Structure formats: C-alpha cells, structure tokens
Amino acid sequence: MNDRPWLDHYPSHVTWDQQFTGKPLHDLISSTASKVPGNIALDFLGKTMTYGELDRQVNSACKGFQKLGVKKGVKVGLFLPNCPQFVILFFAISKAGGTVVNYSPLYSESELLHQVEDSQTDIMVTLDLEALYTKMRRVVANSHVKKLVVSKFSEVLPFPKNLLFKIFKSSAIASVTKDDVYVDYNSLFENDGNCEAVEINPDEDIAVLQYTGGTTGIPKGAMLTHSNLYINMRQLEVWPPMLEFGKENVVAFLPFFHIFALTVVLNMGLKIGARIVIVPKFELEDAVKLMTKENITLFSGVPTMYTALANHKDADKIGIDKIKMAMSGGAPLPVDLRAQYWDRFGIDITEGYGLTEASPVTHASPMGETGSRAGSIGLPLPGTEAFIMDRENPGQVMPQGESGEICIRGRQVMKGYWEKPEATANVMVGDILKTGDVGYMDEEGYTFIMDRDKDLILVGGFNVFPRTIEEAINDHPSVEEVTVIGIPDDYLGETPKAFVKLRAAVDPITEEELKAFIKPKIGKHERPSQIEFRDELPKTMVGKLSKKELVAEEKAKHEAAKAHK
C-alpha cells in the first residue's frame, strides 16, 4: 500500500517534502518592513499605516508591555474585533516574549470568565465600546486579570469618521473607570521603541493559546508555538503559484481572533507584503461596496460568505473575477457553489481544511494544472502527512478508499492543550493528531470528509452523515443554505431533520416537493423526517453554519412533549 499516494499527484510548483524553519512570529513584521517600509500594511476604513510605521509601533508597544511586566510565561488577552490595535499588539506581545490569548467579542461573561481563569490571563486589552468594555470590566473584577488596557475606538478612525463617531455614536462609547486596573492604550507608546530583546525558542515557546471546543468537550487552550503558526503560514504561502510580493491586496472579513484568519489572512498577508484591508465585521452590503472599490486579489472566507456574495444582485460587477486566490474553510464547501464560481467568475475556490489544533490548515485543494476533486478537501500541505485510522483500533491505518478517522502529522500540530494532559492524550497518538472527522483517502491521495464523529446521526443502528443529506438538498436551485441534525425519535433513536433557507426572489417550494427532489439521491434511512424552512440559519462567530443551537431547540421541544404526555 502506498502510504503517501498524493506524491504522484502533487502540484508541479510545490515540493511536498521541503523543510521549513520556524521563526518568532514578530519576525514577520521586521522582515517585511526592511524590504518595503513605504508600502501600505494596514488599511482600516480608509486610514492607512505603512510597514515601516507598523514596525515602529510594534517596537514601542513591546517596550510598553515590558514595563507592565510582560515576559515569557505572561498571558495577554486580546478582546478585540478586527482593528489596527489587534495587529500592533499581537506582534508586540510576541516580541516581548508573552503569550497571546485570543478572546471572541461574541462570548458571554461566563465564557470569558472561564477562559480568563483557565488560561491565567494577566493583562487584558479591549476598546472603549460599550459592547466590549462593560462586559470585560465585570469579568476583570471577578478574575485573575491585573491590568485592563483600554483603547479609544475613535482614535483609529480616519478624519472625519473619528469626529462623526463621537457625535453620532456616543451611546456606543462606554464610561471608562480609570482606577489602578486601568491602563491607557496610548501610554504603551510613550517611549523610544528600544525594547529589550527576548530570545525566543520557536519550537518550544507558546505564541498563542487558542481556545477551542476541540473534538469534544468544553473549550480548551491549544498551545500553538511560534513555529506551529509560522510554519503553517509558510506551508500556505508556497501553495499558490502566482502571488507577487508587495503587490497583493488582502481583505480581512474573517475575525483575527479566529485561527483561520490569524494564519491565512493576517500572518500570510504580512509575509507577502500585502496591503491588508481590515473590516470590523462582515456585512453583505458593506462588503459589496468594498469589493467594488478595492482591487482585492486574496480572499478568504467561509462558504456562507461566498454564497451571500454570489447571490447579490450586483455580484457580476464587484470584481470577484480579479481575485487570484479565493480560499474557503471553516465548513464544507458545497460542490455546486464551487462550480458556480468557476463557471460564472472563472475563480477556482481553494478549499482548505484544518482545525485549531493544527494552526489550523492541514489540507488544500490544488491550484493550477493539477486540478481538484469535487467534494474533496484536497491534498496534505507540504510537510504534512495524512492518515485514515481505524476508529476502533487507534494506530491502525485503513486501506485507501475505506473510511476512518482523519489523522495528521506535521510541524503545525500543537504542543497540546494547556494544563490538560488527559484531553491531550485523547487526541494525540505520539505526534499524530486525531481530528475527530470521519473520511477516506482515494488512490491519488485526495481526502474526502464524510462528517464529524460528533455529528453522526444513528438511525436505527445505521450511521447517517449529515453532509450527504446537505449535499443532496443543496442541489435544488431554490436552496441557499441547509444544515442537518439528528433529532430524538422514540423508535429509531434518532432521525435526520433539515433546516433550509431559500434563495430570495424564487418561487417557494414545499417540504413535500423538496423531499421528493432528494428521494432518489440518498438512501431510505438518510431521508429527513422533517424539513423546516427558516429566514435565517444560526451561524458561528466566523459566519459558518452552526448546528448546536438547533440541536438544543429540538432537544427542548422533545423533552417538553414528553413531559406533556
């Protein structure tokens, strides 16, 4: 059996077994600034910053953090949306030797408090926005955090937006308490920028604690070293054949606090000297205006973003055809959506696959002459090995074409979960990471995901994969989005239920019509017992479809019905 079948089908411009050297993450800034100091690095709502200025700001913030006590072992939390402060402080913390802990602005106070205490975050950074500051201030008062650095959002806006924000959005600005905990963001820069050099061991020192639910359970901090993140960025950098240093425009719709955007958008964008157009949040109409105005050449998003753009009335006018590399991740890319982008815009969306524990990317569909395979997540990235393991006998590799758990070995794989050796042991077999995803590898080394283990639906003893049903429903021209979950069934244990959002301006279809459409496409045990139409489907913080809210709804309904009997 060929244990690396992808080698015979690898893109000709990429060497699979090339060696990558890990480096401190902050080298990304200093290296690019030394080459193109006058090029625009960040563009935030029209206010720009060059690479030379970004380098100077990182050095000053590094010295400011060092005065606050940041060194190796100290955790600094970033509770920020996409904004220039995130970029500056992320690399300043890295340069000071500290560890960044990313926090989602969408988290509840209880979720934030758990993460603060679990990670032992010492310093927190946020904005003076009511939606962020007030929530974090309460968390700080009841937690391990010693200092809260607060930045004024209006100060990073261009004129006259900065003045207009203060006037017309005053209710969005929080009343900031200036006590012993408070640190003014600007005070970090009141120095000469000559920060103390810290010796970083890229392979050992933790750059980021990135929290994730992992393959199971409550959120855990994946320990990602400088090498993990730097090398994963390098693995991606060599994948496309046509990028030009200092000449690309990257749009940051995805949030930097999420590992996908951190590696694929921010770190990779900085490495290639790109102009990074920073957007606080993906809003469709604003995104359409931006795409129309800017010459975006690199675009990374989740499938729902691609769907929304393609369905917009001005889709053919917004410059989608100018994109050199479009990357999709975070959720399976529907086959028909990928085909639509190729047929309509001439864009071959590169489907990436990965998970937080792998920094995050492990696979990507090839670009160029090699081509891709419909429904596949592609080939392992350079220096990455992929295995399909027997789920019942860990360590036993399955023959090509047979399903099992997708497992990964590579230098982007985390050190483990922060202070959770048992949880680490559950997902690591030596240096091999178990992803929790079920799939198979074909004879050419392409991997196909069938579903996540936790999403499997057991229908009368048969395994049913939601993705199979979702693909069948997605084939209907009236369907825009679909997600499938298992719901309780007194006889079968579980049955599939589909939740569907229809495209705007199409003739409505009934549940029975859609069931009849998919009937010949799937097995009898896979047919959904119910199809519910909704105006919107729940999504995660990065915009991918989320099942957990629907599962909770259906469970509550089932329990209420039982209690009523």
Side-chain angles (χ1 to χ4, degrees):
M1 183 177 70
N2 183 0
D3 59 354
R4 294 175 182 171
W6 56 83
L7 291 180
D8 294 331
H9 308 277
Y10 222 60
S12 60
H13 68 280
V14 184
T15 303
W16 176 80
D17 60 356
Q18 61 189 292
Q19 299 297 309
F20 296 104
T21 301
K23 293 183 179 180
L25 280 180
H26 49 271
D27 280 12
L28 288 171
I29 304 292
S30 55
S31 175
T32 300
S34 69
K35 298 169 186 171
V36 287
N39 280 23
I40 293 174
L42 309 179
D43 186 333
F44 182 64
L45 304 176
K47 188 171 184 177
T48 61
M49 180 183 296
T50 66
Y51 273 96
E53 178 60 19
L54 177 58
D55 190 35
R56 289 189 290 274
Q57 294 246 16
V58 167
N59 288 333
S60 288
C62 172
K63 187 165 186 175
F65 273 130
Q66 288 176 332
K67 287 182 178 178
L68 285 179
V70 176
K71 57 185 179 181
K72 286 192 179 186
V74 173
K75 320 292 192 319
V76 183
L78 297 182
F79 187 55
L80 298 167
N82 283 6
C83 57
Q85 295 97 318
F86 186 103
V87 183
I88 295 163
L89 299 188
F90 181 89
F91 292 99
I93 295 161
S94 167
K95 195 159 193 171
T99 297
V100 172
V101 186
N102 283 319
Y103 288 81
S104 167
L106 301 181
Y107 273 4
S108 66
E109 284 184 36
S110 61
E111 289 173 314
L112 292 169
L113 187 59
H114 165 77
Q115 188 173 323
V116 164
E117 294 301 277
D118 187 77
S119 64
Q120 298 165 26
T121 295
D122 301 286
I123 299 169
M124 186 68 71
V125 184
T126 194
L127 298 175
D128 66 342
L129 298 178
E130 180 69 30
L132 298 175
Y133 173 81
T134 305
K135 183 164 37 176
M136 184 49 70
R137 180 72 204 200
R138 288 194 290 264
V139 170
V140 167
N142 296 290
S143 73
H144 179 88
V145 176
K146 302 175 182 67
K147 294 291 182 183
L148 179 60
V149 180
V150 183
S151 174
K152 293 180 179 177
F153 181 69
S154 60
E155 289 185 352
V156 294
L157 296 175
F159 179 84
K161 289 179 182 176
N162 54 351
L163 298 179
L164 295 173
F165 182 83
K166 289 180 181 179
I167 296 170
F168 296 106
K169 298 287 187 178
S170 58
S171 61
I173 303 173
S175 176
V176 176
T177 303
K178 298 181 180 180
D179 54 10
D180 291 343
V181 174
Y182 168 82
V183 176
D184 180 7
Y185 171 80
N186 292 325
S187 69
L188 294 176
F189 302 89
E190 294 171 353
N191 58 68
D192 58 11
N194 293 320
C195 53
E196 182 183 338
V198 178
E199 187 175 339
I200 301 292
N201 182 333
D203 293 340
E204 294 297 327
D205 292 339
I206 302 167
V208 176
L209 272 187
Q210 189 73 29
Y211 274 73
T212 173
T215 55
T216 57
I218 60 172
K220 301 172 283 292
M223 296 185 288
L224 303 178
T225 66
H226 288 260
S227 285
N228 288 155
L229 291 160
Y230 189 91
I231 287 173
N232 197 221
M233 175 275 300
R234 288 283 291 120
Q235 291 168 318
L236 286 164
E237 184 195 6
V238 302
W239 199 248
M242 74 302 279
L243 300 185
E244 298 177 85
F245 181 84
K247 295 183 180 180
E248 307 298 345
N249 295 312
V250 180
V251 64
F253 287 132
L254 294 165
F256 292 146
F257 60 77
H258 191 275
I259 192 64
F260 182 18
L262 184 65
T263 294
V264 179
V265 179
L266 183 57
N267 290 349
M268 184 171 163
L270 293 170
K271 177 65 167 62
I272 64 173
R275 167 175 162 259
I276 303 175
V277 182
I278 300 175
V279 183
K281 184 183 179 183
F282 180 82
E283 298 283 0
L284 180 58
E285 293 304 326
D286 291 339
V288 167
K289 290 176 185 175
L290 183 147
M291 295 286 291
T292 305
K293 177 184 174 185
E294 309 290 349
N295 180 30
I296 299 302
T297 59
L298 271 74
F299 184 106
S300 293
V302 292
T304 51
M305 290 181 183
Y306 287 101
T307 298
L309 287 172
N311 288 338
H312 193 273
K313 60 183 175 60
D314 296 324
D316 295 307
K317 306 174 186 176
I318 64 178
I320 292 175
D321 57 341
K322 297 177 184 177
I323 296 172
K324 291 183 181 180
M325 181 181 184
M327 191 161 193
S328 177
L333 180 68
V335 174
D336 65 329
L337 180 61
R338 185 174 192 169
Q340 181 185 168
Y341 267 77
W342 177 254
D343 295 339
R344 189 172 169 191
F345 306 113
I347 299 295
D348 184 14
I349 299 176
T350 300
E351 181 166 11
Y353 164 81
L355 61 168
T356 300
E357 292 85 346
S359 305
V361 190
T362 66
H363 290 69
S365 56
M367 304 178 67
E369 83 289 354
T370 306
S372 55
R373 304 290 183 273
S376 170
I377 57 172
L379 305 173
L381 289 182
T384 304
E385 292 184 273
F387 313 88
I388 306 298
M389 296 284 195
D390 188 326
R391 284 180 287 165
E392 304 300 324
N393 300 292
Q396 183 174 323
V397 179
M398 300 296 290
Q400 285 158 22
E402 293 193 23
S403 67
E405 183 171 8
I406 301 169
C407 298
I408 307 297
R409 177 192 284 138
R411 294 193 63 193
Q412 70 269 54
V413 173
M414 67 173 183
K415 286 184 72 171
Y417 294 123
W418 169 251
E419 294 194 337
K420 289 184 170 52
E422 287 186 14
T424 302
N426 287 337
V427 300
M428 299 294 295
V429 179
D431 60 351
I432 296 175
L433 173 68
K434 297 160 60 181
T435 69
D437 285 343
V438 180
Y440 65 93
M441 186 184 296
D442 70 10
E443 67 280 357
E444 295 183 347
Y446 283 80
T447 297
F448 295 76
I449 293 181
M450 299 168 73
D451 237 309
R452 288 192 69 87
D453 248 345
K454 66 179 183 180
D455 291 338
L456 278 175
I457 304 170
L458 286 173
V459 181
F462 291 96
N463 288 344
V464 171
F465 299 102
R467 186 175 182 181
T468 304
I469 307 169
E470 289 163 356
E471 288 285 1
I473 293 174
N474 256 323
D475 283 343
H476 196 287
S478 296
V479 172
E480 180 172 318
E481 295 175 346
V482 57
T483 191
V484 172
I485 65 169
I487 61 172
D489 183 273
D490 292 336
Y491 178 64
L492 296 170
E494 285 185 300
T495 61
K497 178 176 180 178
F499 295 83
V500 173
K501 177 185 177 183
L502 297 176
R503 297 184 191 276
V506 299
D507 293 331
I509 57 172
T510 66
E511 180 180 3
E512 293 310 314
E513 287 171 336
L514 190 51
K515 282 183 176 179
F517 174 80
I518 64 173
K519 186 175 181 180
K521 298 173 179 285
I522 54 179
K524 185 177 180 180
H525 63 295
E526 294 172 321
R527 294 172 193 163
S529 58
Q530 300 175 46
I531 298 178
E532 182 176 326
F533 297 99
R534 294 197 175 187
D535 294 334
E536 295 294 335
L537 299 180
K539 295 182 175 66
T540 68
M541 66 186 77
V542 294
K544 67 180 181 180
L545 292 168
S546 178
K547 298 180 188 288
K548 68 178 183 179
E549 295 85 356
L550 299 171
V551 170
E553 278 183 38
E554 293 298 324
K555 183 179 178 182
K557 271 200 264 182
H558 183 72
E559 290 175 353
K562 279 173 46 178
H564 186 67
K565 285 182 179 179

